[in-house]
Amino acid sequence: MTFLLLITLGLLFVYALYFAAQTARIGSNPRDFLDGAMMLPSWSVMFILPAIGVTALGIERHLLLVSYYGLQASHIAVGMITLAVAAVMFWNRLWVATRLAGLHTPGEAIGRYYDSIALRVIMMGMCVLFALPYSANLLSQAALLLQQATNGTISREMAVWVFALSMAVPAIIGGWRAVVMVLAMEALLMAILIPGIMLFGEIVLSGDIFPNRPMPVDEGIFWDRIPGVLQGYAGVGKNVPTGGIFTAVAISSTAISLAGIVLSPATLYLGQTARNGPAFGISAVWLTGGLAAGILLLVVPVLAARMPAGLVTYAEALAAIVPLAGVSVILLGVMGAIFAISFFVTGGTLLVFRELVHTYLFPNLTERGQRLGARISLGFGFFLLGLMAAFMPFVSAVFASVALPLALQLLPAMVGFAFMRWISRGAVLAGIALGSLLVVFTEPLGLIIFEGLFIDLPWGRWPLTIHSAGWGLAINLLIVFLSSVAKLSGPEMYQRSRFHRAMKVHPPATTARSGLLWGLAILWGFLAYGPGAILGNFFFSDPIFTDLKSIIGVPSLWVWQMLFWLFGVVLVWWLSYSVGYGHTHEVNGKPIRLGMPHATRSPDWISSGLRRIVNRSGDASPDNPDRVSERLLLPDLEVKQPAVKPKLGRTRHS
Amino acid sequence: MGQRLAEDDPSSRIDRFNRHGLVMAIWAPAVFVAVVLFHAGYVHTTNWWFVAAFGSLITAFCAHIIVNVVLKTGFTTRETALGSTILVVLTLGYLITILTAPDMLVDRLMMPIGIGLGMLVVVVVVSMLISFGPRRAFEKFDVVRDNNLRAASRLPHRGGRR
């Protein structure tokens, strides 16, 4: 199997290299390297969103959780609907805002809307968090999987560097467009492999298919039902919850945390750089809400029932019958990780380059210079990734645990940006600060540091079976809504109102429809993964309206999941097509000016520091140092250039 | 001249490249799945695996046609050449295997792979008939007529229909 596996991974690398080289050969504007000319093909975005959702759960991790906890863990997959809703709404608003106000990155969008450098820094922090510890953790796990699959022929460290290099080279050559196109193919391959492997395994392996074969969980774990709405449980590491950790509240908070992946800067950037058209709707409704959620709810339990000992054992069992089938299982595990790594490291590095390096350190880079700078940054980013994954797997794992919940803390900021103009900057910042604090102290990061330095805390990870994202978001929203009430006027409000009025034209949504939609969405959420989901435990096996027992042959909870998955698809369909968020149209009309001063330049201390180190000719002239280091952040359209008639010397403002 | 201008246009180049990316994104997984299934058929001695393998290729072909319809394009010259070459090479390989391989292997592979290759040809022909109609589909292979490069051959009364 080792040889075949290496050949398959090699072919994957050749495919990426081919597309990187082809992208480089197109000969488009060098600046397109960073954003694909803001015209990424619609189909690539369509395929990538569901795969991002699946990798947010983690293929190997989700399979292990389902094989350990059964259908209660599988229930989290209903959260793909929430993810689809978040994606279609925020992508659409950000896409429109980008074209309306000449924004280039998610950080710039949020920063300029709230007129806050702090929010830009927070966005950059998110980029780094996803690009380094989060991705390094995934890379370390993928390398470990390869080590196990090859029986140690390829060590974990070696696999880390080979993977890092094989992802870095295509990204450095082809940039954002090439990476996105390769990832789209990988997404499609994953969508085929998951059900394909399940079907193949059921045909060639002996034994019954799930649910005839019950989930091989430990004693005391309810594999076919949700263990209550909430449990008085101190958290992981403190005590053991009864019947399993995935209570209804745990499921809902975990499902909501999946929306954090949509709010990660790289995912927002993907939506921002897409071409106009129906891509968001198709992606959210049919591929994420429909296909990906369906595969996770229907296929993964069947697959997980066969692999209590993990992917490698299952791969070996299949490889004994058909070696290439075993390779496919390992490929699925590895590809799930390298998909996310490639996406977050490339996206994150490009964003950090644009937000930090190009804006503040080297504001006067030419287009070719920007491309070169981005290539160097990508090399540096992948090198740091390899370093973390190879030598700091534990630190990476600890920091990776807070990536999704921390990204979710940007939700109020994005809601304010996209829909609610009365959410103020102070409220958003206060909410993020306190929400993040709560996230950190309900995850290993805060617990390990605090308990190591001071005393043992009375709670562990996810106290009361509530995901850290849920704790953080609850306090965050509370603070945002309470403090936003106090500040509703001023020039900021006028500017925001103009911005929101302009955005409201795309798409034209009626209030009546929206009210009904949100009412149904809340009802759906309550029953699908909220406290109402507990009804699904026995609803179809022991109906409450009769004494008779129903024999349906499958667990009642599984039927409940399928039912609310289908209702969820209808919900996303309504939002995308009926309300209109699923389609983006060409944005015409007068550009909007958003916050921030007209121009910014490198801070003096950075400029003088750089001048001491590098003698950059042409960057700063001694007679007027401010003039040349100035980089206009607003689009050219907003800057009114005086039209001077030749030889007349009169100035007229156009 | 017009064609050259279209090729030089960056947006047109990017559009063609995007389409190429989509086509490759469809074919690459389909070919991988087909290889796994062929492998399973070879190892497992069950003909259904071969059926599934050819089914995977035919599905990819159908998806390619859908892409052409949605993007309002057709098969490019390179795609046609590559597809024809692969089909010819596979057919030749199949014939050589039948002639040279041991009887046991021939017994196992001849029927499923022969029918599968035949099905691929049938699918291509049917797709051409649906897309172009019988006359234009036949004209695609009418090399003798297309080979006549004289300008007069284009005149209707000389039979030119190019």
Side-chain angles (χ1 to χ4, degrees):
Chain A
M1 190 169 76
T2 302
F3 182 64
L4 283 174
L5 180 61
L6 295 182
I7 287 190
T8 313
L9 290 173
L11 285 173
L12 211 59
F13 172 63
V14 169
Y15 185 93
L17 204 58
Y18 168 74
F19 268 95
Q22 289 289 320
T23 311
R25 282 181 59 194
I26 292 178
S28 54
N29 190 333
R31 207 162 160 272
D32 295 352
F33 183 89
L34 284 92
D35 57 12
M38 306 293 273
M39 295 270 280
L40 290 179
S42 305
W43 59 268
S44 60
V45 179
M46 275 160 45
F47 292 153
I48 289 179
L49 177 65
I52 290 175
V54 173
T55 52
L57 284 171
I59 292 179
E60 194 184 358
R61 180 175 164 271
H62 188 60
L63 279 166
L64 280 175
L65 277 177
V66 176
S67 67
Y68 195 78
Y69 289 106
L71 290 178
Q72 53 173 288
S74 175
H75 204 113
I76 298 168
V78 181
M80 291 295 281
I81 302 288
T82 317
L83 185 143
V85 168
V88 78
M89 289 175 70
F90 291 130
W91 269 4
N92 182 293
R93 296 296 78 189
L94 188 60
W95 191 94
V96 172
T98 298
R99 271 74 184 169
L100 271 176
L103 308 166
H104 297 107
T105 61
E108 189 185 354
I110 294 283
R112 274 176 58 182
Y113 177 79
Y114 289 103
D115 203 357
S116 165
I117 296 291
L119 278 168
R120 290 180 86 141
V121 173
I122 288 170
M123 270 289 192
M124 255 190 295
M126 285 296 156
C127 289
V128 175
L129 193 63
F130 274 94
L132 287 181
Y134 184 80
S135 299
N137 181 44
L138 289 173
L139 182 57
S140 175
Q141 286 170 2
L144 194 65
L145 184 65
L146 193 67
Q147 177 183 297
Q148 289 167 350
T150 58
N151 292 323
T153 308
I154 296 178
S155 65
R156 192 188 71 87
E157 289 77 12
M158 188 182 167
V160 162
W161 287 111
V162 170
F163 280 144
L165 194 68
S166 66
M167 286 183 282
V169 172
I172 290 169
I173 295 172
W176 185 234
R177 178 186 292 276
V179 169
V180 163
M181 288 176 91
V182 173
L183 293 183
M185 186 282 288
E186 290 179 5
L188 204 58
L189 186 54
M190 278 194 278
I192 295 171
L193 280 183
I194 300 174
I197 288 168
M198 184 276 282
L199 279 175
F200 193 87
E202 293 307 322
I203 292 170
V204 300
L205 296 176
S206 59
D208 285 334
I209 186 171
F210 175 85
N212 293 338
R213 155 206 285 265
M215 202 71 79
V217 295
D218 287 348
E219 199 165 327
I221 289 176
F222 307 147
W223 67 269
D224 60 347
R225 74 188 92 139
I226 296 170
V229 174
L230 191 76
Q231 286 194 24
Y233 158 70
V236 177
K238 298 293 174 185
N239 55 3
V240 181
T242 313
I245 193 171
F246 290 101
T247 59
V249 176
I251 290 167
S252 57
S253 52
T254 313
I256 290 169
S257 80
L258 290 182
I261 203 95
V262 173
L263 299 172
S264 68
T267 313
L268 290 174
Y269 190 52
L270 178 72
Q272 209 175 4
T273 50
R275 177 177 279 189
N276 65 322
F280 294 168
I282 298 172
S283 176
V285 181
W286 307 116
L287 299 181
T288 307
L291 185 72
I295 287 176
L296 289 174
L297 285 172
L298 302 180
V299 176
V300 164
V302 182
L303 205 52
R306 290 253 179 212
M307 52 173 74
L311 275 178
V312 177
T313 317
Y314 186 65
E316 282 167 355
L318 286 186
I321 301 163
V322 178
L324 259 179
V327 168
S328 305
V329 177
I330 301 298
L331 183 68
L332 176 65
V334 169
M335 208 162 55
I338 62 175
F339 172 91
I341 298 162
S342 206
F343 179 71
F344 286 115
V345 176
T346 309
T349 308
L350 290 176
L351 285 173
V352 169
F353 172 77
R354 292 186 82 155
E355 286 277 312
L356 177 71
V357 181
H358 180 41
T359 305
Y360 294 110
L361 298 181
F362 301 103
N364 294 324
L365 282 175
T366 60
E367 289 183 342
R368 282 181 180 277
Q370 286 179 44
R371 185 172 64 185
L372 177 66
R375 283 180 164 157
I376 294 169
S377 305
L378 281 168
F380 198 60
F382 277 101
F383 174 71
L384 286 179
L385 170 83
L387 217 57
M388 277 201 86
F391 302 115
M392 293 181 270
F394 178 71
V395 175
S396 305
V398 168
F399 275 91
S401 66
V402 294
L404 270 183
L406 283 184
L408 190 70
Q409 304 314 310
L410 291 170
L411 184 70
M414 279 306 291
V415 169
F417 171 80
F419 305 103
M420 296 176 178
R421 68 192 77 175
W422 45 267
I423 292 182
S424 66
R425 176 183 58 203
V428 164
L429 285 171
I432 289 176
L434 284 177
S436 302
L437 210 62
L438 228 63
V439 165
V440 168
F441 278 96
T442 46
E443 286 286 355
L445 177 62
L447 295 170
I448 290 171
I449 293 173
F450 194 87
E451 293 188 350
L453 290 175
F454 305 109
I455 50 163
D456 274 7
L457 291 166
W459 68 85
R461 190 184 190 192
W462 303 5
L464 300 177
T465 67
I466 299 174
H467 192 286
S468 58
W471 284 106
L473 191 64
I475 192 80
N476 189 343
L477 288 176
L478 188 73
I479 288 168
V480 166
F481 288 135
L482 285 180
S483 46
S484 287
V485 174
K487 194 177 178 184
L488 281 173
S489 58
E492 271 182 16
M493 196 59 191
Y494 167 73
Q495 201 177 57
R496 286 186 193 177
S497 298
R498 239 181 81 221
F499 175 66
H500 278 275
R501 269 200 304 275
M503 279 217 293
K504 219 170 183 177
V505 180
H506 318 269
T510 63
T511 322
R513 238 187 219 170
S514 300
L516 180 61
L517 175 72
W518 290 119
L520 285 175
I522 291 168
L523 183 67
W524 173 84
F526 179 81
L527 291 170
Y529 54 61
I534 201 87
L535 292 172
N537 279 350
F538 303 106
F539 190 82
F540 295 102
S541 54
D542 301 299
I544 49 176
F545 41 80
T546 170
D547 290 335
L548 297 173
K549 297 253 180 206
S550 132
I551 302 168
I552 49 175
V554 294
S556 168
L557 185 61
W558 211 21
V559 182
W560 186 269
Q561 290 170 0
M562 291 176 211
L563 193 69
F564 280 92
W565 159 54
L566 293 174
F567 285 149
V569 175
V570 175
L571 196 70
V572 192
W573 175 86
W574 191 349
L575 198 66
S576 299
Y577 293 107
S578 187
V579 180
Y581 286 114
H583 205 294
T584 46
H585 303 275
E586 195 99 11
V587 174
N588 297 314
K590 198 178 169 188
I592 299 283
R593 193 181 118 188
L594 251 190
M596 299 286 281
H598 279 76
T600 189
R601 58 188 175 81
S602 304
D604 289 340
W605 62 275
I606 294 179
S607 297
S608 59
L610 279 173
R611 269 201 301 276
R612 280 166 204 266
I613 299 164
V614 188
N615 181 21
R616 294 182 301 148
S617 56
D619 188 44
S621 64
D623 51 341
N624 185 4
D626 286 347
R627 189 180 62 79
V628 281
S629 60
E630 191 177 69
R631 175 180 167 245
L632 295 177
L633 275 188
L634 296 175
D636 295 341
L637 288 166
E638 293 176 18
V639 181
K640 292 184 175 177
Q641 297 288 348
V644 181
K645 288 186 177 176
K647 296 180 183 175
L648 290 180
R650 283 194 299 178
T651 305
R652 178 170 55 83
H653 283 278
S654 56
Chain B
M1 185 68 181
Q3 195 176 357
R4 175 180 282 184
L5 281 176
E7 278 176 9
D8 290 343
D9 178 19
S11 66
S12 163
R13 274 205 308 270
I14 290 173
D15 282 344
R16 280 204 305 277
F17 179 61
N18 287 345
R19 179 191 169 279
H20 177 58
L22 176 56
V23 167
M24 287 289 282
I26 290 167
W27 276 104
V31 168
F32 179 75
V33 170
V35 169
V36 175
L37 292 168
F38 274 124
H39 193 195
Y42 180 76
V43 174
H44 229 242
T45 66
T46 310
N47 288 345
W48 287 110
W49 294 123
F50 290 115
V51 173
F54 281 109
S56 163
L57 295 178
I58 290 169
T59 308
F61 182 74
C62 294
H64 196 152
I65 291 173
I66 292 170
V67 167
N68 283 343
V69 172
V70 172
L71 299 180
K72 298 183 177 65
T73 56
F75 289 100
T76 64
T77 317
R78 285 179 185 179
E79 284 167 4
T80 313
L82 183 67
S84 311
T85 309
I86 290 174
L87 197 62
V88 168
V89 168
L90 284 178
T91 311
L92 282 175
Y94 169 70
L95 292 174
I96 292 168
T97 308
I98 286 176
L99 292 174
T100 58
D103 285 349
M104 201 179 73
L105 195 65
V106 172
D107 286 346
R108 264 176 53 198
L109 299 182
M110 194 174 77
M111 277 290 279
I113 294 192
I115 291 174
L117 287 172
M119 277 307 293
L120 286 184
V121 175
V122 168
V123 166
V124 171
V125 170
V126 167
S127 74
M128 287 184 77
L129 287 175
I130 293 170
S131 302
F132 306 118
R135 175 184 281 193
R136 282 184 57 212
F138 176 73
E139 278 178 5
K140 297 276 174 193
F141 300 97
D142 195 358
V143 182
V144 177
R145 175 174 295 168
D146 282 356
N147 247 358
N148 190 348
L149 293 176
R150 287 176 300 151
S153 69
R154 296 165 190 254
L155 296 169
H157 67 274
R158 297 260 176 109
R161 277 198 295 267
R162 286 191 299 159

